[in-house]
Structures are given as C-alpha cells and as structure tokens.
Coordinates of all heavy atoms in Angstrom, one line a residue:
M1 N 19.5 49.5 -10.8 CA 19.7 48.3 -10.1 C 18.3 47.6 -9.9 O 17.3 48.3 -9.5 CB 20.3 48.6 -8.7 CG 20.5 47.5 -7.9 SD 21.6 47.9 -6.6 CE 21.8 46.5 -5.8
R2 N 18.3 46.3 -10.0 CA 17.0 45.6 -9.9 C 16.7 45.3 -8.4 O 17.6 45.3 -7.6 CB 17.1 44.2 -10.6 CG 17.1 44.3 -12.0 CD 17.1 42.9 -12.6 NE 16.9 43.0 -14.1 CZ 16.7 42.0 -14.9 NH1 16.6 40.8 -14.4 NH2 16.6 42.2 -16.1
R3 N 15.4 45.1 -8.1 CA 15.0 44.9 -6.7 C 13.9 43.8 -6.7 O 13.3 43.6 -7.8 CB 14.6 46.1 -6.0 CG 13.4 46.8 -6.7 CD 13.2 48.2 -6.1 NE 12.4 48.9 -7.1 CZ 11.2 49.4 -6.8 NH1 10.7 49.3 -5.5 NH2 10.4 50.0 -7.7
F4 N 13.6 43.2 -5.6 CA 12.5 42.3 -5.5 C 11.2 43.0 -5.2 O 11.2 44.0 -4.5 CB 12.8 41.3 -4.3 CG 13.9 40.3 -4.6 CD1 15.2 40.5 -4.0 CD2 13.7 39.3 -5.4 CE1 16.2 39.7 -4.3 CE2 14.8 38.4 -5.7 CZ 16.0 38.6 -5.1
S5 N 10.2 42.5 -5.8 CA 8.9 43.0 -5.6 C 7.9 41.9 -5.4 O 7.8 41.0 -6.2 CB 8.5 43.9 -6.8 OG 7.1 44.4 -6.6
S6 N 7.1 42.0 -4.3 CA 6.1 41.0 -4.0 C 4.7 41.3 -4.5 O 3.9 40.5 -4.8 CB 6.1 40.7 -2.5 OG 7.3 40.3 -2.1
Y7 N 4.4 42.6 -4.5 CA 3.1 43.1 -4.8 C 3.1 44.1 -5.9 O 4.1 44.7 -6.1 CB 2.4 43.7 -3.5 CG 2.4 42.8 -2.4 CD1 3.3 42.8 -1.3 CD2 1.4 41.8 -2.3 CE1 3.2 41.9 -0.3 CE2 1.3 40.9 -1.3 CZ 2.2 41.0 -0.3 OH 2.2 40.1 0.8
G8 N 2.0 44.2 -6.5 CA 1.9 45.2 -7.6 C 2.4 44.7 -8.9 O 2.9 43.6 -9.1
P9 N 2.3 45.6 -9.9 CA 2.8 45.2 -11.2 C 4.3 45.1 -11.3 O 5.0 45.7 -10.5 CB 2.3 46.4 -12.1 CG 2.1 47.5 -11.2 CD 1.8 46.9 -9.9
I10 N 4.8 44.2 -12.1 CA 6.2 43.9 -12.2 C 6.7 44.5 -13.5 O 6.2 44.2 -14.6 CB 6.5 42.4 -12.1 CG1 6.0 41.8 -10.8 CG2 7.9 42.1 -12.4 CD1 6.1 40.3 -10.7
D11 N 7.8 45.2 -13.3 CA 8.5 45.8 -14.5 C 9.7 44.9 -14.7 O 10.6 44.8 -13.8 CB 8.9 47.2 -14.3 CG 9.6 47.8 -15.5 OD1 9.6 47.2 -16.5 OD2 10.3 48.9 -15.3
R12 N 9.8 44.2 -15.8 CA 10.8 43.2 -16.0 C 12.2 43.8 -16.1 O 13.2 43.1 -15.8 CB 10.6 42.4 -17.3 CG 9.3 41.5 -17.2 CD 9.1 40.8 -18.5 NE 7.9 39.9 -18.3 CZ 7.4 39.2 -19.2 NH1 8.0 39.1 -20.4 NH2 6.3 38.5 -19.0
E13 N 12.3 45.0 -16.4 CA 13.6 45.7 -16.4 C 14.1 46.1 -15.0 O 15.3 46.2 -14.8 CB 13.6 46.9 -17.4 CG 13.2 46.6 -18.8 CD 14.3 45.7 -19.5 OE1 15.5 45.9 -19.2 OE2 14.0 44.9 -20.3
E14 N 13.1 46.4 -14.2 CA 13.4 46.9 -12.9 C 13.4 45.9 -11.8 O 14.1 46.0 -10.8 CB 12.4 48.0 -12.5 CG 12.7 48.8 -11.3 CD 11.6 49.9 -11.0 OE1 10.9 50.3 -11.9 OE2 11.5 50.3 -9.8
H15 N 12.6 44.8 -11.9 CA 12.4 43.8 -10.8 C 13.0 42.5 -11.2 O 13.0 42.1 -12.4 CB 10.9 43.7 -10.5 CG 10.3 44.9 -10.0 ND1 9.4 45.6 -10.8 CD2 10.4 45.6 -8.8 CE1 9.0 46.7 -10.1 NE2 9.6 46.7 -8.9
Y16 N 13.4 41.7 -10.2 CA 13.7 40.3 -10.4 C 12.4 39.6 -10.5 O 11.5 39.9 -9.7 CB 14.5 39.7 -9.3 CG 15.9 40.2 -9.3 CD1 16.4 41.1 -8.3 CD2 16.9 39.8 -10.2 CE1 17.7 41.6 -8.2 CE2 18.2 40.3 -10.2 CZ 18.6 41.2 -9.2 OH 19.8 41.6 -9.2
Y17 N 12.2 38.6 -11.3 CA 11.0 37.9 -11.3 C 11.2 36.5 -11.9 O 12.2 36.2 -12.5 CB 9.9 38.6 -12.2 CG 10.2 38.4 -13.7 CD1 9.4 37.4 -14.4 CD2 11.1 39.1 -14.4 CE1 9.7 37.2 -15.8 CE2 11.4 38.9 -15.7 CZ 10.6 38.0 -16.4 OH 10.8 37.7 -17.7
A18 N 10.3 35.6 -11.5 CA 10.3 34.2 -12.0 C 8.9 34.0 -12.5 O 7.9 34.3 -11.9 CB 10.7 33.2 -10.9
P19 N 8.8 33.4 -13.7 CA 7.5 33.2 -14.3 C 6.7 32.2 -13.4 O 7.1 31.0 -13.2 CB 7.7 32.6 -15.7 CG 9.1 32.9 -16.0 CD 9.8 33.1 -14.7
R20 N 5.7 32.6 -12.8 CA 4.9 31.8 -11.8 C 4.3 30.6 -12.4 O 4.3 29.5 -11.8 CB 3.9 32.7 -11.2 CG 3.2 32.0 -10.0 CD 2.3 33.1 -9.3 NE 1.8 32.5 -8.0 CZ 0.6 32.1 -7.9 NH1 -0.3 32.2 -8.9 NH2 0.2 31.6 -6.7
N21 N 3.7 30.7 -13.6 CA 3.1 29.5 -14.2 C 4.1 28.4 -14.4 O 3.7 27.2 -14.3 CB 2.4 29.9 -15.5 CG 1.2 30.8 -15.2 OD1 0.7 30.8 -14.1 ND2 0.8 31.6 -16.2
E22 N 5.3 28.7 -14.9 CA 6.3 27.7 -15.1 C 6.7 27.0 -13.8 O 6.9 25.8 -13.8 CB 7.5 28.3 -15.9 CG 7.2 28.7 -17.3 CD 8.4 29.4 -17.9 OE1 9.5 29.1 -17.5 OE2 8.2 30.1 -18.9
L23 N 6.8 27.8 -12.8 CA 7.2 27.2 -11.5 C 6.1 26.3 -11.0 O 6.4 25.2 -10.4 CB 7.5 28.3 -10.5 CG 8.8 29.1 -10.7 CD1 8.8 30.3 -9.7 CD2 10.0 28.3 -10.6
I24 N 4.9 26.7 -11.1 CA 3.8 25.9 -10.6 C 3.7 24.6 -11.4 O 3.5 23.5 -10.9 CB 2.5 26.6 -10.7 CG1 2.4 27.8 -9.7 CG2 1.3 25.7 -10.5 CD1 1.3 28.7 -9.8
K25 N 3.9 24.6 -12.7 CA 3.9 23.4 -13.6 C 5.0 22.5 -13.2 O 4.8 21.3 -13.1 CB 3.9 23.8 -15.0 CG 2.7 24.4 -15.6 CD 2.8 24.7 -17.0 CE 1.6 25.4 -17.6 NZ 1.8 25.9 -19.0
K26 N 6.2 23.0 -13.0 CA 7.3 22.2 -12.6 C 7.1 21.6 -11.2 O 7.4 20.4 -11.0 CB 8.6 23.1 -12.6 CG 9.9 22.3 -12.3 CD 11.1 23.1 -12.3 CE 12.3 22.3 -12.0 NZ 13.5 23.2 -12.0
G27 N 6.6 22.3 -10.3 CA 6.3 21.8 -9.0 C 5.2 20.7 -9.0 O 5.3 19.7 -8.3
D28 N 4.2 20.9 -9.8 CA 3.2 19.8 -10.0 C 3.7 18.6 -10.6 O 3.4 17.5 -10.1 CB 2.0 20.4 -10.8 CG 1.1 21.4 -10.1 OD1 1.2 21.4 -8.9 OD2 0.4 22.1 -10.8
R29 N 4.6 18.7 -11.6 CA 5.2 17.5 -12.2 C 6.0 16.7 -11.1 O 6.0 15.5 -11.0 CB 6.1 17.9 -13.4 CG 5.3 18.1 -14.6 CD 6.2 18.2 -15.8 NE 7.3 19.1 -15.7 CZ 7.3 20.4 -16.1 NH1 6.3 20.9 -16.7 NH2 8.4 21.1 -15.9
Q30 N 6.8 17.5 -10.3 CA 7.6 16.8 -9.3 C 6.8 16.2 -8.2 O 7.0 15.1 -7.8 CB 8.6 17.8 -8.7 CG 9.7 18.2 -9.6 CD 10.6 19.3 -9.0 OE1 10.3 19.9 -8.0 NE2 11.7 19.6 -9.7
K31 N 5.7 16.9 -7.9 CA 4.8 16.3 -6.8 C 4.1 15.1 -7.3 O 4.0 14.1 -6.5 CB 3.8 17.4 -6.5 CG 2.9 17.1 -5.3 CD 2.0 18.2 -4.9 CE 1.3 18.9 -6.0 NZ 0.4 19.9 -5.5
I32 N 3.7 15.1 -8.5 CA 3.0 13.9 -9.0 C 3.9 12.7 -9.1 O 3.6 11.6 -8.7 CB 2.3 14.2 -10.4 CG1 1.2 15.1 -10.3 CG2 1.9 12.9 -11.1 CD1 0.6 15.7 -11.6
Y33 N 5.1 12.9 -9.6 CA 6.1 11.8 -9.7 C 6.5 11.3 -8.3 O 6.5 10.1 -8.1 CB 7.4 12.3 -10.4 CG 8.5 11.3 -10.5 CD1 8.4 10.2 -11.3 CD2 9.6 11.4 -9.7 CE1 9.4 9.3 -11.4 CE2 10.6 10.4 -9.7 CZ 10.5 9.4 -10.6 OH 11.4 8.4 -10.6
F34 N 6.8 12.2 -7.4 CA 7.1 11.8 -6.0 C 6.0 11.1 -5.3 O 6.2 10.1 -4.7 CB 7.6 13.0 -5.2 CG 8.0 12.6 -3.8 CD1 9.2 12.0 -3.6 CD2 7.2 13.0 -2.7 CE1 9.6 11.6 -2.3 CE2 7.6 12.6 -1.4 CZ 8.8 12.0 -1.2
G35 N 4.8 11.6 -5.5 CA 3.6 11.0 -4.8 C 3.3 9.6 -5.4 O 3.0 8.7 -4.6
S36 N 3.5 9.4 -6.6 CA 3.2 8.1 -7.2 C 4.3 7.1 -6.8 O 4.0 5.9 -6.5 CB 3.1 8.2 -8.7 OG 4.3 8.5 -9.3
M37 N 5.5 7.5 -6.6 CA 6.5 6.6 -6.2 C 6.3 6.2 -4.7 O 6.4 5.1 -4.4 CB 7.9 7.3 -6.3 CG 8.3 7.5 -7.8 SD 8.5 5.9 -8.6 CE 10.0 5.3 -7.9
V38 N 6.0 7.2 -3.9 CA 5.8 6.9 -2.5 C 4.5 6.1 -2.3 O 4.5 5.1 -1.5 CB 5.8 8.2 -1.6 CG1 5.3 7.9 -0.2 CG2 7.1 8.9 -1.6
G39 N 3.5 6.5 -3.0 CA 2.2 5.7 -2.9 C 2.3 4.3 -3.3 O 1.8 3.4 -2.7
S40 N 3.0 4.1 -4.4 CA 3.2 2.7 -4.9 C 4.0 1.9 -4.0 O 3.8 0.7 -3.8 CB 3.7 2.7 -6.3 OG 5.0 3.2 -6.3
T41 N 5.1 2.5 -3.4 CA 5.9 1.7 -2.5 C 5.1 1.3 -1.2 O 5.2 0.2 -0.8 CB 7.1 2.6 -2.1 OG1 7.8 3.0 -3.2 CG2 8.0 1.9 -1.1
I42 N 4.3 2.2 -0.7 CA 3.5 1.9 0.5 C 2.5 0.9 0.1 O 2.2 -0.1 0.9 CB 2.9 3.2 1.0 CG1 4.0 4.1 1.6 CG2 1.8 2.9 2.1 CD1 3.5 5.5 2.0
G43 N 1.9 1.0 -1.1 CA 0.8 0.1 -1.5 C 1.3 -1.3 -1.6 O 0.7 -2.3 -1.2
I44 N 2.5 -1.5 -2.2 CA 3.1 -2.8 -2.4 C 3.4 -3.4 -1.1 O 3.2 -4.6 -0.9 CB 4.3 -2.7 -3.4 CG1 3.8 -2.4 -4.8 CG2 5.1 -4.0 -3.3 CD1 5.0 -2.1 -5.7
S45 N 4.0 -2.7 -0.2 CA 4.4 -3.2 1.1 C 3.2 -3.6 1.9 O 3.2 -4.7 2.6 CB 5.3 -2.3 1.9 OG 4.6 -1.1 2.1
L46 N 2.1 -2.8 1.8 CA 0.9 -3.2 2.5 C 0.2 -4.4 1.9 O -0.4 -5.3 2.6 CB -0.1 -2.0 2.5 CG 0.2 -0.8 3.4 CD1 -0.8 0.3 3.2 CD2 0.3 -1.3 4.9
Y47 N 0.3 -4.6 0.6 CA -0.2 -5.8 0.0 C 0.5 -7.0 0.4 O -0.2 -8.0 0.8 CB -0.1 -5.6 -1.6 CG -0.5 -6.9 -2.3 CD1 -1.8 -7.2 -2.5 CD2 0.5 -7.8 -2.8 CE1 -2.2 -8.4 -3.1 CE2 0.1 -8.9 -3.4 CZ -1.2 -9.2 -3.6 OH -1.5 -10.4 -4.3
F48 N 1.8 -7.0 0.5 CA 2.5 -8.2 0.9 C 2.3 -8.5 2.4 O 2.2 -9.6 2.8 CB 4.0 -8.0 0.6 CG 4.4 -8.2 -0.8 CD1 5.1 -7.3 -1.5 CD2 4.0 -9.4 -1.5 CE1 5.4 -7.5 -2.9 CE2 4.3 -9.6 -2.8 CZ 5.0 -8.6 -3.5
S49 N 2.2 -7.4 3.2 CA 2.0 -7.7 4.6 C 0.6 -8.3 4.9 O 0.4 -9.1 5.7 CB 2.2 -6.4 5.4 OG 1.1 -5.5 5.1
Q50 N -0.4 -7.8 4.1 CA -1.7 -8.4 4.2 C -1.7 -9.9 3.8 O -2.4 -10.7 4.4 CB -2.7 -7.6 3.4 CG -4.1 -7.9 3.6 CD -4.7 -7.4 4.9 OE1 -4.1 -6.6 5.5 NE2 -5.7 -8.0 5.4
A51 N -1.0 -10.1 2.7 CA -1.0 -11.5 2.2 C -0.3 -12.4 3.2 O -0.8 -13.6 3.4 CB -0.3 -11.6 0.8
I52 N 0.8 -12.0 3.8 CA 1.5 -12.8 4.8 C 0.6 -13.0 6.0 O 0.5 -14.1 6.6 CB 2.8 -12.2 5.1 CG1 3.8 -12.3 3.9 CG2 3.5 -12.8 6.3 CD1 5.0 -11.6 4.0
S53 N -0.1 -11.9 6.4 CA -0.9 -12.1 7.6 C -2.1 -13.0 7.4 O -2.4 -13.8 8.3 CB -1.4 -10.7 8.1 OG -2.4 -10.2 7.2
V54 N -2.7 -13.0 6.3 CA -3.7 -14.0 6.0 C -3.2 -15.4 6.0 O -3.8 -16.3 6.6 CB -4.4 -13.7 4.6 CG1 -5.3 -14.9 4.2 CG2 -5.2 -12.4 4.7
A55 N -2.0 -15.7 5.5 CA -1.4 -17.0 5.6 C -1.2 -17.4 7.0 O -1.5 -18.5 7.4 CB -0.1 -17.0 4.8
F56 N -0.6 -16.5 7.8 CA -0.4 -16.8 9.3 C -1.7 -17.1 10.0 O -1.8 -18.0 10.9 CB 0.4 -15.7 9.9 CG 1.8 -15.7 9.6 CD1 2.5 -14.5 9.5 CD2 2.5 -16.8 9.3 CE1 3.8 -14.4 9.2 CE2 3.9 -16.8 8.9 CZ 4.5 -15.6 8.9
Y57 N -2.8 -16.3 9.7 CA -4.0 -16.5 10.3 C -4.6 -17.9 10.0 O -5.2 -18.6 10.8 CB -5.1 -15.4 9.9 CG -4.8 -14.1 10.5 CD1 -5.0 -12.9 9.8 CD2 -4.4 -14.0 11.9 CE1 -4.7 -11.7 10.3 CE2 -4.1 -12.7 12.4 CZ -4.3 -11.6 11.7 OH -4.1 -10.4 12.2
M58 N -4.5 -18.3 8.7 CA -5.0 -19.6 8.3 C -4.2 -20.7 9.0 O -4.8 -21.8 9.4 CB -4.9 -19.8 6.8 CG -5.9 -18.8 6.1 SD -7.6 -18.7 6.7 CE -8.2 -20.3 6.4
I59 N -2.9 -20.6 9.2 CA -2.1 -21.6 9.9 C -2.5 -21.7 11.3 O -2.7 -22.8 11.9 CB -0.6 -21.3 9.8 CG1 -0.1 -21.5 8.3 CG2 0.2 -22.1 10.7 CD1 1.3 -20.9 8.0
A60 N -2.7 -20.5 12.0 CA -3.1 -20.5 13.4 C -4.5 -21.1 13.5 O -4.8 -21.8 14.5 CB -3.1 -19.1 13.9
F61 N -5.4 -20.8 12.6 CA -6.8 -21.4 12.6 C -6.7 -22.9 12.6 O -7.4 -23.6 13.3 CB -7.6 -20.8 11.5 CG -9.0 -21.3 11.4 CD1 -9.9 -20.9 12.3 CD2 -9.3 -22.2 10.4 CE1 -11.2 -21.4 12.2 CE2 -10.6 -22.7 10.3 CZ -11.6 -22.3 11.2
S62 N -5.9 -23.4 11.7 CA -5.8 -24.9 11.6 C -5.2 -25.5 12.8 O -5.5 -26.6 13.2 CB -5.1 -25.3 10.3 OG -3.8 -24.9 10.3
E63 N -4.2 -24.8 13.4 CA -3.5 -25.4 14.6 C -4.5 -25.4 15.8 O -4.3 -26.2 16.7 CB -2.3 -24.5 14.9 CG -1.1 -24.7 13.9 CD -0.5 -26.1 14.0 OE1 -0.5 -26.7 15.1 OE2 0.0 -26.6 13.0
A64 N -5.5 -24.6 15.8 CA -6.5 -24.5 16.9 C -7.3 -25.8 17.0 O -7.8 -26.1 18.0 CB -7.4 -23.4 16.7
F65 N -7.3 -26.6 15.9 CA -8.1 -27.8 15.9 C -7.3 -29.1 16.3 O -7.8 -30.2 16.3 CB -8.7 -28.1 14.5 CG -9.8 -27.1 14.1 CD1 -9.6 -26.0 13.5 CD2 -11.1 -27.5 14.5 CE1 -10.6 -25.1 13.2 CE2 -12.2 -26.6 14.3 CZ -11.9 -25.4 13.6
T66 N -6.0 -28.9 16.5 CA -5.1 -30.1 16.9 C -5.6 -30.8 18.1 O -5.4 -32.0 18.2 CB -3.7 -29.7 17.0 OG1 -3.5 -28.6 17.9 CG2 -3.1 -29.3 15.6
P67 N -6.2 -30.1 19.2 CA -6.7 -30.9 20.3 C -7.8 -31.9 19.9 O -8.0 -32.9 20.6 CB -7.2 -29.9 21.3 CG -6.4 -28.7 20.9 CD -6.2 -28.7 19.5
A68 N -8.5 -31.6 18.9 CA -9.7 -32.4 18.5 C -9.2 -33.6 17.5 O -10.0 -34.5 17.2 CB -10.7 -31.6 17.8
F69 N -8.0 -33.6 17.1 CA -7.5 -34.6 16.2 C -7.6 -36.0 16.8 O -7.9 -37.0 16.1 CB -6.1 -34.3 15.7 CG -6.0 -33.2 14.7 CD1 -4.7 -32.8 14.3 CD2 -7.1 -32.6 14.2 CE1 -4.6 -31.7 13.4 CE2 -7.0 -31.6 13.3 CZ -5.7 -31.2 12.9
A70 N -7.3 -36.2 18.1 CA -7.3 -37.5 18.7 C -8.8 -38.0 18.8 O -9.0 -39.2 18.5 CB -6.8 -37.4 20.1
W71 N -9.7 -37.1 19.0 CA -11.1 -37.5 19.1 C -11.6 -37.9 17.7 O -12.3 -38.9 17.5 CB -11.9 -36.3 19.6 CG -13.4 -36.6 19.6 CD1 -14.1 -37.4 20.4 CD2 -14.3 -36.0 18.7 NE1 -15.4 -37.4 20.1 CE2 -15.6 -36.5 19.1 CE3 -14.3 -35.0 17.7 CZ2 -16.8 -36.1 18.4 CZ3 -15.4 -34.7 17.1 CH2 -16.7 -35.2 17.4
I72 N -11.2 -37.1 16.6 CA -11.6 -37.5 15.2 C -11.0 -38.8 14.8 O -11.6 -39.6 14.2 CB -11.1 -36.3 14.3 CG1 -11.9 -35.0 14.6 CG2 -11.3 -36.7 12.8 CD1 -11.4 -33.8 13.8
Q73 N -9.7 -39.0 15.2 CA -9.1 -40.3 14.9 C -9.7 -41.5 15.6 O -9.8 -42.6 15.0 CB -7.6 -40.2 15.2 CG -6.8 -41.4 14.7 CD -5.3 -41.3 15.0 OE1 -4.9 -40.3 15.6 NE2 -4.5 -42.2 14.5
S74 N -10.2 -41.3 16.8 CA -10.9 -42.4 17.5 C -12.2 -42.7 16.9 O -12.7 -43.9 16.9 CB -11.0 -42.1 19.0 OG -12.0 -41.0 19.2
L75 N -12.9 -41.7 16.3 CA -14.2 -42.0 15.7 C -14.1 -42.6 14.3 O -14.9 -43.4 13.9 CB -15.0 -40.7 15.6 CG -15.5 -40.1 16.9 CD1 -16.2 -38.8 16.6 CD2 -16.5 -41.1 17.6
T76 N -13.1 -42.1 13.6 CA -12.8 -42.6 12.2 C -11.4 -43.2 12.1 O -10.6 -43.1 13.1 CB -13.0 -41.4 11.2 OG1 -12.0 -40.5 11.5 CG2 -14.3 -40.8 11.3
S77 N -11.1 -43.8 11.0 CA -9.8 -44.3 10.8 C -8.8 -43.3 10.1 O -7.7 -43.6 9.7 CB -9.8 -45.6 10.0 OG -10.4 -45.3 8.7
I78 N -9.3 -42.0 10.0 CA -8.6 -41.0 9.4 C -7.6 -40.3 10.4 O -8.0 -40.0 11.5 CB -9.5 -40.0 8.7 CG1 -10.4 -40.6 7.7 CG2 -8.7 -38.8 8.1 CD1 -11.5 -39.7 7.2
V79 N -6.4 -40.2 10.0 CA -5.4 -39.4 10.8 C -5.4 -38.0 10.3 O -4.9 -37.7 9.2 CB -4.0 -40.1 10.7 CG1 -3.0 -39.3 11.5 CG2 -4.0 -41.5 11.1
P80 N -6.0 -37.1 11.1 CA -6.2 -35.7 10.6 C -4.8 -35.0 10.6 O -4.0 -35.2 11.5 CB -7.2 -35.1 11.5 CG -7.3 -36.0 12.7 CD -6.7 -37.3 12.3
Q81 N -4.7 -34.1 9.6 CA -3.5 -33.2 9.6 C -4.0 -31.8 9.5 O -5.2 -31.5 9.2 CB -2.7 -33.5 8.3 CG -2.2 -34.9 8.2 CD -1.1 -35.2 9.2 OE1 -0.3 -34.3 9.5 NE2 -1.1 -36.4 9.7
T82 N -3.1 -30.8 9.9 CA -3.6 -29.4 9.9 C -3.9 -28.9 8.5 O -4.8 -28.1 8.4 CB -2.5 -28.6 10.5 OG1 -1.3 -28.7 9.8 CG2 -2.3 -28.9 12.0
W83 N -3.3 -29.4 7.5 CA -3.6 -29.0 6.1 C -5.0 -29.4 5.7 O -5.6 -28.7 4.8 CB -2.6 -29.4 5.1 CG -2.5 -30.9 4.9 CD1 -1.7 -31.8 5.5 CD2 -3.3 -31.7 4.1 NE1 -1.9 -33.1 5.1 CE2 -2.9 -33.0 4.2 CE3 -4.4 -31.4 3.2 CZ2 -3.5 -34.1 3.5 CZ3 -5.0 -32.5 2.5 CH2 -4.5 -33.8 2.7
M84 N -5.6 -30.4 6.3 CA -6.9 -30.8 6.0 C -8.0 -29.8 6.5 O -9.1 -29.8 6.0 CB -7.2 -32.2 6.7 CG -6.4 -33.3 6.1 SD -6.8 -34.8 7.0 CE -5.8 -36.0 6.1
I85 N -7.6 -28.9 7.4 CA -8.5 -27.9 7.8 C -8.1 -26.5 7.1 O -9.0 -25.8 6.7 CB -8.4 -27.7 9.3 CG1 -9.0 -29.0 10.0 CG2 -9.2 -26.5 9.8 CD1 -8.8 -29.1 11.4
S86 N -6.8 -26.3 7.0 CA -6.4 -24.9 6.5 C -6.7 -24.8 5.0 O -7.2 -23.7 4.6 CB -4.9 -24.7 6.7 OG -4.2 -25.6 6.0
I87 N -6.6 -25.8 4.2 CA -6.8 -25.7 2.8 C -8.3 -25.5 2.5 O -8.7 -24.6 1.7 CB -6.2 -26.9 2.0 CG1 -4.7 -26.8 2.0 CG2 -6.8 -26.9 0.5 CD1 -4.0 -27.9 1.3
P88 N -9.2 -26.3 3.0 CA -10.7 -26.0 2.8 C -11.1 -24.7 3.4 O -11.9 -24.0 2.8 CB -11.4 -27.2 3.5 CG -10.4 -28.3 3.6 CD -9.1 -27.6 3.7
A89 N -10.5 -24.3 4.5 CA -10.9 -23.0 5.1 C -10.4 -21.8 4.2 O -11.1 -20.8 4.0 CB -10.3 -22.8 6.5
T90 N -9.2 -22.0 3.6 CA -8.7 -21.0 2.7 C -9.6 -20.9 1.4 O -9.9 -19.8 0.9 CB -7.3 -21.3 2.3 OG1 -6.5 -21.4 3.5 CG2 -6.7 -20.2 1.4
L91 N -10.0 -22.0 0.9 CA -10.8 -22.0 -0.3 C -12.2 -21.4 0.0 O -12.8 -20.7 -0.8 CB -11.0 -23.5 -0.8 CG -9.7 -24.1 -1.4 CD1 -9.9 -25.5 -1.8 CD2 -9.2 -23.3 -2.6
L92 N -12.7 -21.8 1.2 CA -14.0 -21.2 1.6 C -13.9 -19.6 1.7 O -14.8 -18.9 1.3 CB -14.5 -21.8 2.9 CG -15.8 -21.3 3.4 CD1 -16.9 -21.8 2.5 CD2 -16.1 -21.9 4.8
L93 N -12.8 -19.2 2.3 CA -12.6 -17.7 2.4 C -12.4 -17.1 1.0 O -12.9 -16.0 0.8 CB -11.3 -17.5 3.2 CG -11.0 -16.0 3.5 CD1 -12.0 -15.4 4.4 CD2 -9.6 -16.0 4.2
L94 N -11.8 -17.8 0.1 CA -11.6 -17.3 -1.2 C -12.9 -17.2 -2.0 O -13.2 -16.2 -2.6 CB -10.6 -18.2 -2.0 CG -10.3 -17.7 -3.4 CD1 -9.5 -16.4 -3.4 CD2 -9.5 -18.8 -4.1
V95 N -13.8 -18.2 -1.8 CA -15.1 -18.1 -2.4 C -16.0 -17.0 -1.8 O -16.7 -16.3 -2.5 CB -15.8 -19.5 -2.3 CG1 -17.3 -19.4 -2.6 CG2 -15.1 -20.5 -3.1
L96 N -15.8 -16.9 -0.5 CA -16.6 -15.8 0.2 C -16.2 -14.4 -0.3 O -17.0 -13.5 -0.5 CB -16.4 -15.9 1.7 CG -17.2 -15.0 2.6 CD1 -18.6 -15.3 2.5 CD2 -16.6 -15.1 4.0
I97 N -14.9 -14.2 -0.5 CA -14.4 -12.9 -1.0 C -14.8 -12.6 -2.4 O -15.2 -11.5 -2.8 CB -12.8 -12.8 -0.8 CG1 -12.5 -12.8 0.7 CG2 -12.3 -11.6 -1.5 CD1 -11.0 -12.9 1.0
L98 N -14.6 -13.6 -3.3 CA -14.9 -13.4 -4.7 C -16.4 -13.5 -4.9 O -17.0 -13.0 -5.7 CB -14.1 -14.4 -5.6 CG -12.6 -14.3 -5.5 CD1 -12.0 -15.4 -6.4 CD2 -12.1 -13.0 -5.9

C-alpha cells in the first residue's frame, strides 16, 4: 500500500508523489498570466482616472478666472470665455511635461 512521504528519498512504488518541477512550472505560468491580467486592468483604469482628473482640474482652473472676466472686458473689447484660459493652460502643461 502506498503512503505519503514529506521527507527523505521517495520510492515511486511505495510513495505517492507529484513531480515538483512540473508543479512549479505550471504555477509560475498561471501566476504570470493572472498577474498580467490584473496588472493591466488596474493600469488601464488608473490611466483613465488620471486623464479625467487632469481634464477636471483644467476646467476648474479656468473657472477660477471668471470673476476677472468683467474687469478684462472693461479694459478691452474682448469678451473672455473660460476656454480662452483652459486651452492655453493645457498646451502649456503639455509642453512642460514633454
């Protein structure tokens, strides 16, 4: 009758055994596949959240200048809009990053 053995030499006729190297290789393959799937999912979601947050920050930055729009309009004949601040600020940020 076969029995389990944890230590010492293994007799294949007497003990139950599983080839350790094959189990380790199979586990490594599963770990690599699972890790890359989870890592890519987290990376993509973080990328999109970062992109959306930058857009919201630029909108809020341009909205902060709306109290000065009346003063700018009284000095010049230009009617300022929020995009007149957000687009140049975004381009400046892009140049600064690259």
Side-chain angles (χ1 to χ4, degrees):
M1 180 166 183
R2 288 186 174 187
R3 60 192 166 116
F4 290 103
S5 176
S6 301
Y7 301 102
I10 295 174
D11 181 14
R12 293 181 180 180
E13 299 296 325
E14 185 179 342
H15 300 107
Y16 291 109
Y17 78 99
R20 188 168 188 259
N21 292 338
E22 291 177 23
L23 289 175
I24 290 172
K25 287 179 186 176
K26 183 177 179 183
D28 285 343
R29 281 193 306 266
Q30 289 175 349
K31 185 172 52 174
I32 289 170
Y33 176 73
F34 180 72
S36 64
M37 292 297 290
V38 171
S40 63
T41 302
I42 291 171
I44 290 170
S45 62
L46 287 175
Y47 172 78
F48 284 126
S49 68
Q50 189 73 19
I52 290 171
S53 69
V54 168
F56 286 148
Y57 288 140
M58 294 312 293
I59 291 170
F61 179 75
S62 64
E63 288 292 329
F65 287 94
T66 54
F69 285 174
W71 177 71
I72 294 171
Q73 187 176 3
S74 68
L75 291 176
T76 63
S77 61
I78 299 172
V79 179
Q81 301 291 324
T82 55
W83 63 266
M84 293 177 179
I85 295 171
S86 65
I87 290 178
T90 304
L91 293 175
L92 182 67
L93 183 64
L94 183 65
V95 167
L96 183 69
I97 290 171
L98 296 178

